[in-house]
Amino acid sequence: VQLWRYSTINAVSNLLVANGIAYVTSNDVVSQNGCLVALRASDGTQLWHDITRGSSYNSLVVDNRVVYTSASADNGQATVFALRASDGIQLWHYPTTTFTSVPAVVNGIAYLFSNQGLSALQASNGRLLWRATVQGNSGLLPPQVINGVLYFITTKISFEGTATPTSQVNILPQAGTMGNLLQSVVRMAPMKQTLPLKGGVSSVYAVRISDGTVLWHYTMSKENGNNWANWLSVENGTVYAGTYVDQDKSYIYALRSSDGSVLWRQAMHRGMSANAFVANRVIYIASFINDGSLNQGSGAVYALRASDGTQIWSHLMYWVVYNPPMLVGATIYISTAGGDVYAFQASSSSLLWHFHTDVQ
């Protein structure tokens, strides 16, 4: 049953619900102004809004009743903002010279990714604490802090990739916030390419949060000029990461969190690993399957044993599955690009119910 609906003529880029407030960012394609709207989660009433002139919002994090976001302009400069969640009043801002995202705020520290590397700011006042040099850029995947160590993924982009008739126009969309079943997604369709494609090779980093020391990093195997990472999870002393090489091949990596050594690597030759999460020693994975045509393709959801990557069950979907499955109790909830929401039994993938929305 639909409780309420918020509509905008602009493209929605982020949605986050925290402490009874839904935060929505959008971008006006005409004026290029970014807009951040705060809605009461119970009924959709607008509480406040913020507009950044000539910029677009890149990321959105809420911590301790403060909204942290970054806005980037066409000239490449960016500004990180800390806004009071109740009324949108600006508490501080931090200017940068490059595209910047705020993927996480943990224990009073705001972490920023930009072309300058990884930076840590005091969340209360925006003061720079330290900066670490890393290869490539990040910000699309939320990092995790475990026992004083920040684990995150960067991707070094080049133009070494070779174009093929079935190359994908877009890389996978940004990882969604857990619990957001119906976020806006970037649609993908295979088409002919005549220009060189962007190639990307991802690395996993472990950085000590007290001073920014890089403890270790692991670079994914490079195949066909690529190995893009698109999800990350740290559970029970193991770092799990999903990558894809092309539309028909993906890998799941399991690394020891203490030193980055490879515990196992599992190839997935049917579809691209798009998003995942780990719970109860099971990896639940959403994937995109290319069917060789110009339509939306299809999707699948997999459950793998976290100890060795062995498949427990799989379920094919008519539409692409971009968002990570969400586990509540013994039920897995899955949303598709076609606007469908499914509830499956987590242990066996048996369908419990299905609901179709008007959102695609």
Side-chain angles (χ1 to χ4, degrees), residues 45-275:
T45 301
Q46 180 173 312
L47 302 176
W48 54 266
H49 76 280
D50 185 72
I51 296 177
T52 176
R53 304 292 179 184
S55 301
S56 59
Y57 288 105
N58 309 318
S59 56
L60 194 61
V61 177
V62 177
D63 181 76
N64 197 25
R65 301 191 181 278
V66 176
V67 182
Y68 300 88
T69 185
S70 61
S72 295
D74 291 338
N75 61 8
Q77 295 183 336
T79 303
V80 176
F81 296 97
L83 309 175
R84 194 161 61 197
S86 59
D87 54 14
I89 296 298
Q90 184 181 135
L91 302 177
W92 55 260
H93 71 279
Y94 180 84
T96 69
T97 58
T98 66
F99 176 92
T100 304
S101 63
V102 188
V105 179
V106 182
N107 298 328
I109 300 177
Y111 297 98
L112 317 181
F113 283 107
S114 69
N115 292 338
Q116 297 173 322
L118 169 66
S119 301
L121 304 183
Q122 190 72 48
S124 59
N125 55 24
R127 180 174 64 89
L128 179 65
L129 299 176
W130 51 259
R131 179 175 291 140
T133 301
V134 297
Q135 297 179 1
N137 205 340
S138 186
L140 295 181
L141 302 176
Q144 294 191 30
V145 175
I146 307 291
N147 297 327
V149 178
L150 180 74
Y151 299 92
F152 60 93
I153 285 179
T154 66
T155 300
K156 186 176 182 179
I157 299 175
S158 67
F159 285 90
E160 299 174 357
T162 302
T164 62
T166 57
S167 297
Q168 295 291 339
V169 177
N170 297 310
I171 64 172
L172 291 177
Q174 176 173 334
T177 303
M178 189 66 67
N180 174 14
L181 283 175
L182 293 174
Q183 67 170 10
S184 298
V185 294
V186 178
R187 295 180 178 177
M188 301 171 58
M191 63 179 296
K192 291 184 178 180
Q193 276 281 10
T194 57
L195 298 177
L197 296 178
K198 287 183 179 180
V201 176
S202 298
S203 300
V204 181
Y205 277 84
V207 172
R208 191 163 57 210
I209 63 173
S210 60
D211 56 9
T213 299
V214 177
L215 302 178
W216 59 261
H217 81 276
Y218 175 82
T219 300
M220 310 299 183
S221 301
K222 186 175 182 179
E223 297 183 30
N224 301 330
N226 287 300
N227 210 337
W228 299 80
N230 44 39
W231 61 265
L232 172 73
S233 182
V234 184
E235 297 287 339
N236 301 316
T238 302
V239 180
Y240 300 95
T243 72
Y244 69 91
V245 174
D246 53 42
Q247 66 264 29
D248 296 318
K249 193 172 187 179
S250 298
Y251 286 104
I252 310 299
Y253 287 81
L255 310 176
R256 184 178 287 113
S257 63
S258 59
D259 58 11
S261 57
V262 179
L263 299 175
W264 55 263
R265 186 183 77 159
Q266 181 70 269
M268 298 180 63
H269 295 279
R270 182 172 174 78
M272 293 187 294
S273 167
N275 226 321

